[in-house]
Amino acid sequence: MKLCMIGTGYVGLVSGVCFSDLGNDVICVDKDINKITNLKKGIIPIYEPGLEELVLKNYKNKRLNFSTNLKESVKKSDIIFICVGTPTKKKNNSADLSQVYSAGYEISKSINKYKIIINKSTVPVSTGDEIEKIISKKVKKKYFSVVSNPEFLREGEAIRDFIYPDRVVVGSNDSKSKKIIKNLYSPLISKGANYLSTSRRAAELIKYASNAFLATKITFINEIANLCEKTGIDVEDISIGIGLDKRIGGRFLRAGPAYGGSCFPKDTKAIVSTADKFKTNLSLIKSVIKSNNIRSNLLLKRLSLIMKNKIKNKKISFLGVTFKANTDDMRDSSSLKLIPYLSRKGANIRYYDPTGLKKEFKNLKNVKFSNSIHESIKDSDLIIIHTEWNDFKSINFKKYSKNKKLIIYDMRNIFSPNKIKNLGLKYYGIGR
Ligand code: UGA
């Protein structure tokens, strides 16, 4: 099939490349000329394991192309995916849909035969209805269908999540588009993916409800971790103990710093704002947002306790600054609160991240990027393990055990407390 992805951000690029790898002809469109020129040269704008290889392979065999010409790309395609950003509006926490609607309007000018417009951007319930209204101002209804097909890709795992999804959700209100989209996904369905066909509004809500539920699960275990710290219990035992109950499930029950990234913080706020619009109080999700927002303060309090309130001039090594491992994404990372606080308190911070130096810390006093784990942690008083890269899991602390005062604060619980303590070092984790 001939596909067009509007927006070559995370969702558009990964989905477009994966669809081309499944044998479709795909054009990825973006307004950003630089991005498109770079993609044609094989320069990928984001860090995502496996993406570069797939781009190069499919661009070479001409199933994948890149363009800034939306009009021509839409004309050539049977199915058009809207994959643009839906950031949070500052004034009321709702999702800013201007890019989605503007894409709908642009598409409406180029519909020359029946086309399916699929919205993949994360949007509030009823956005599909609005897109349909916008297009129907220019095009007769029989020439197009508007479908919702949310994505559930995790950064860092996106290719695998696309090829082996837990489920594919397609929300459409007409049978013609339903048949065509099911056919598009047939290579994944035949590999065992669950395929769920719903109304368009239901698909829109499934996406928000999924992210809100996962954020709730994480916040739940983070609060239980707070209790574990006060009661001498290891939260890892609790995660396993409750996760083995199939009704609960063990995934997304890892206590850690506050959840971050481009999705959970944004989508929890947006679902609350949508519900407010429909006069429904999502009190549970509101308290999840609140709990997550104050989590960094709790971590900072614990840090002060660990350091016996002596942070000034202490050498602190920060390992991993992105919102999680296997991504270069800094959005809503808790390091954005932790590092500036420690810098204000007079600490000397050296941070290391496998994805390199971060502009966010450029102007902070006494905060320097190190080129290696060793350079970052040597001579430290405190090492904070902030993300779960495999590179950190294999650090040989024995090498550093001469410094008996060295403290490890493992915010992802990747080390065994006893092993570290046996080296004579002090160990703190989350909820243990
Ligand atoms: C999330 C969802 O997992 C995807 O299904 C969804 O498609 C995506 O948002 C989106 O809406 O586009 P992502 O933001 O890439 O994916 O990251 P996650 O792996 O879900 O992690 C989110 C945050 O939760 C991170 O800060 C992570 O460290 C934290 N987390 C996750 C925990 O603290 N504990 C866990 O057990 C799992």
XYZ file of all heavy atoms in Angstrom, residues 227-270:
323
model
N 7.042 3.958 51.787
C 6.707 3.259 53.035
C 7.788 2.217 53.366
O 8.162 2.052 54.528
C 5.326 2.587 52.887
C 4.822 1.768 54.059
C 4.691 2.645 55.317
C 3.468 1.141 53.732
N 8.291 1.544 52.320
C 9.342 0.532 52.532
C 10.579 1.174 53.178
O 11.216 0.572 54.044
C 9.741 -0.120 51.209
S 8.480 -1.214 50.583
N 10.913 2.385 52.713
C 12.106 3.049 53.266
C 11.961 3.298 54.765
O 12.935 3.293 55.502
C 12.353 4.381 52.529
C 13.018 4.139 51.190
C 13.073 5.375 50.297
O 12.924 6.508 50.793
O 13.273 5.182 49.076
N 10.728 3.514 55.206
C 10.499 3.797 56.633
C 10.404 2.526 57.464
O 10.467 2.558 58.682
C 9.188 4.585 56.804
C 9.184 5.941 56.118
C 9.685 7.013 57.069
C 10.000 8.316 56.386
N 8.866 9.006 55.833
N 10.172 1.376 56.777
C 9.866 0.159 57.541
C 10.915 -0.946 57.351
O 10.713 -2.077 57.784
C 8.477 -0.388 57.120
O 8.421 -0.408 55.693
C 7.349 0.468 57.647
N 12.001 -0.603 56.648
C 13.084 -1.566 56.473
C 12.721 -2.740 55.567
O 13.205 -3.852 55.732
N 11.868 -2.480 54.590
C 11.466 -3.557 53.657
C 12.060 -3.227 52.292
O 12.220 -2.050 51.941
C 9.921 -3.604 53.565
C 9.320 -3.963 54.923
C 9.447 -4.565 52.488
C 7.822 -3.766 55.015
N 12.377 -4.254 51.506
C 12.880 -4.015 50.154
C 11.690 -4.000 49.190
O 10.996 -5.003 49.025
C 13.868 -5.124 49.770
C 14.587 -4.815 48.469
O 14.037 -4.033 47.658
O 15.688 -5.358 48.250
N 11.477 -2.859 48.529
C 10.318 -2.722 47.622
C 10.370 -3.734 46.466
O 9.343 -4.096 45.892
C 10.194 -1.267 47.084
C 11.277 -0.971 46.055
C 8.820 -1.026 46.463
N 11.596 -4.207 46.143
C 11.705 -5.196 45.047
C 10.923 -6.456 45.415
O 10.310 -7.090 44.555
C 13.170 -5.541 44.784
C 14.006 -4.370 44.274
C 13.507 -3.802 42.941
O 13.247 -4.595 42.024
O 13.365 -2.577 42.838
N 10.951 -6.817 46.713
C 10.159 -7.986 47.157
C 8.672 -7.722 46.977
O 7.906 -8.618 46.618
C 10.437 -8.289 48.644
C 11.840 -8.841 48.855
O 12.427 -9.353 47.875
O 12.360 -8.733 49.986
N 8.282 -6.496 47.246
C 6.850 -6.157 47.114
C 6.432 -6.215 45.643
O 5.386 -6.765 45.298
C 6.557 -4.740 47.689
C 7.108 -4.610 49.108
C 5.068 -4.425 47.642
C 6.556 -5.600 50.118
N 7.273 -5.647 44.758
C 6.947 -5.654 43.319
C 6.761 -7.083 42.833
O 5.808 -7.386 42.103
C 8.072 -5.016 42.502
O 8.148 -3.663 42.779
N 7.676 -7.956 43.257
C 7.565 -9.355 42.810
C 6.334 -9.996 43.459
O 5.524 -10.640 42.794
C 8.850 -10.136 43.158
C 10.037 -9.553 42.376
C 8.692 -11.631 42.819
C 11.402 -10.048 42.830
N 6.194 -9.744 44.755
C 5.104 -10.376 45.507
C 3.728 -10.001 45.004
O 2.832 -10.847 44.959
N 3.557 -8.749 44.603
C 2.221 -8.392 44.096
C 2.117 -8.650 42.587
O 1.074 -9.019 42.089
C 1.794 -6.941 44.450
C 2.703 -5.889 43.824
C 1.726 -6.734 45.956
C 2.222 -4.452 44.078
N 3.258 -8.503 41.906
C 3.237 -8.667 40.442
C 2.951 -10.091 39.998
O 2.457 -10.324 38.892
N 3.253 -11.060 40.871
C 2.992 -12.468 40.511
C 1.495 -12.776 40.489
O 1.070 -13.777 39.919
C 3.706 -13.412 41.496
C 5.211 -13.541 41.264
C 5.870 -14.334 42.386
C 5.507 -14.186 39.918
N 0.706 -11.924 41.111
C -0.746 -12.044 40.999
C -1.107 -11.607 39.577
O -0.896 -10.435 39.217
C -1.398 -11.117 42.040
C -2.915 -11.238 42.046
O -3.501 -11.528 40.977
O -3.513 -11.032 43.117
N -1.640 -12.537 38.792
C -1.873 -12.220 37.368
C -2.841 -11.054 37.192
O -2.836 -10.378 36.174
C -2.384 -13.461 36.641
C -1.301 -14.502 36.432
C -1.676 -15.470 35.321
C -0.584 -16.487 35.085
N -0.482 -17.494 36.151
N -3.681 -10.822 38.204
C -4.608 -9.689 38.067
C -3.850 -8.372 38.149
O -4.311 -7.352 37.663
C -5.667 -9.737 39.190
C -6.602 -10.913 39.063
C -7.433 -11.063 40.301
N -6.588 -11.273 41.479
C -7.048 -11.327 42.726
N -8.320 -11.174 42.956
N -6.230 -11.538 43.734
N -2.674 -8.386 38.767
C -1.890 -7.157 38.897
C -0.818 -7.093 37.809
O -0.735 -6.116 37.076
C -1.260 -7.060 40.314
C -2.381 -6.999 41.363
C -0.343 -5.844 40.431
C -1.909 -7.048 42.801
N -0.024 -8.155 37.683
C 1.011 -8.185 36.635
C 2.266 -7.445 37.068
O 2.190 -6.384 37.676
N 3.426 -8.019 36.754
C 4.680 -7.497 37.287
C 5.291 -6.340 36.519
O 6.197 -5.662 37.007
N 4.811 -6.052 35.293
C 5.477 -5.007 34.507
C 5.038 -3.615 34.963
O 3.947 -3.419 35.446
C 5.173 -5.208 33.025
C 5.823 -6.488 32.506
C 5.420 -6.761 31.102
N 6.092 -5.859 30.183
C 5.724 -5.711 28.904
N 4.712 -6.387 28.432
N 6.372 -4.881 28.120
N 5.943 -2.661 34.789
C 5.688 -1.272 35.198
C 5.402 -1.160 36.691
O 4.581 -0.379 37.129
C 4.582 -0.635 34.334
C 5.168 -0.071 33.061
C 5.715 -0.932 32.130
C 5.231 1.285 32.824
C 6.312 -0.453 30.967
C 5.823 1.782 31.671
C 6.362 0.906 30.747
N 6.111 -2.001 37.438
C 6.018 -1.946 38.898
C 7.395 -1.726 39.486
O 7.674 -2.169 40.585
C 5.451 -3.268 39.428
C 3.946 -3.351 39.671
C 3.590 -4.656 40.350
C 3.423 -2.177 40.501
N 8.262 -1.048 38.720
C 9.609 -0.784 39.218
C 9.626 0.604 39.849
O 9.365 1.601 39.182
C 10.630 -0.823 38.069
C 10.717 -2.133 37.305
C 11.347 -3.251 38.105
N 12.587 -2.892 38.784
C 13.784 -2.842 38.216
N 13.936 -3.126 36.948
N 14.854 -2.518 38.926
N 9.949 0.628 41.138
C 10.047 1.934 41.797
C 11.289 2.655 41.277
O 12.264 2.022 40.881
C 10.155 1.735 43.301
N 11.220 3.974 41.230
C 12.362 4.745 40.724
C 12.142 6.217 40.968
O 11.305 6.601 41.795
N 12.897 7.048 40.223
C 12.613 8.480 40.328
C 11.227 8.735 39.713
O 10.622 7.824 39.173
C 13.720 9.129 39.504
C 14.415 8.054 38.773
C 13.952 6.736 39.255
N 10.742 9.935 39.762
C 9.422 10.223 39.196
C 9.362 9.809 37.727
O 10.367 9.898 37.026
C 9.159 11.718 39.316
N 8.200 9.345 37.262
C 8.101 9.032 35.827
C 8.255 10.324 35.029
O 7.863 11.399 35.471
C 6.787 8.312 35.484
C 5.510 9.101 35.712
C 5.131 10.151 34.871
C 4.654 8.791 36.767
C 3.962 10.875 35.073
C 3.481 9.508 36.979
C 3.151 10.554 36.127
O 1.994 11.270 36.341
N 8.875 10.186 33.855
C 9.083 11.371 33.014
C 8.823 11.027 31.559
O 8.053 10.119 31.251
N 9.487 11.755 30.657
C 9.341 11.487 29.234
C 8.327 12.401 28.581
O 7.749 13.276 29.204
N 8.125 12.122 27.297
C 7.270 13.025 26.519
C 5.807 12.620 26.600
O 4.948 13.311 26.060
C 7.721 13.004 25.060
O 7.530 11.705 24.552
N 5.496 11.501 27.279
C 4.115 11.005 27.191
C 3.359 11.001 28.511
O 2.312 11.637 28.617
C 4.124 9.604 26.601
S 4.951 9.564 25.011
N 3.847 10.274 29.517
C 3.059 10.143 30.750
C 2.717 11.507 31.380
O 1.550 11.747 31.710
C 3.770 9.252 31.773
C 3.803 7.788 31.406
C 4.521 6.870 32.172
C 3.103 7.311 30.305
C 4.543 5.525 31.842
C 3.120 5.967 29.961
C 3.850 5.076 30.736
N 3.709 12.402 31.580
C 3.358 13.690 32.197
C 2.319 14.456 31.352
O 1.350 14.991 31.878
C 4.695 14.433 32.261
C 5.730 13.347 32.244
C 5.166 12.280 31.358
N 2.533 14.457 30.045
C 1.646 15.212 29.140
C 0.254 14.568 29.084
O -0.770 15.256 29.188
C 2.300 15.229 27.755
C 1.425 15.655 26.605
C 2.222 15.713 25.308
C 2.384 14.386 24.603
N 1.206 13.829 23.962
N 0.217 13.242 28.946
C -1.070 12.579 28.708
C -1.935 12.490 29.965
O -3.165 12.510 29.881
C -0.842 11.182 28.112
C -0.184 11.270 26.736
O -0.144 12.383 26.187
O 0.283 10.238 26.222
N -1.310 12.383 31.143
C -2.115 12.375 32.369
C -2.806 13.737 32.536
O -3.986 13.801 32.894
C -1.248 12.061 33.615
O -0.025 12.781 33.524
C -0.943 10.586 33.734
N -2.058 14.801 32.226
C -2.679 16.131 32.339
C -3.803 16.275 31.313
O -4.872 16.806 31.615
C -1.632 17.225 32.087
C -0.725 17.476 33.276
C 0.159 18.673 32.994
C 1.617 18.310 33.163
N 2.559 19.197 32.551
N -3.550 15.774 30.112
C -4.540 15.962 29.041
C -5.823 15.172 29.306
O -6.920 15.659 29.033
C -3.927 15.570 27.696
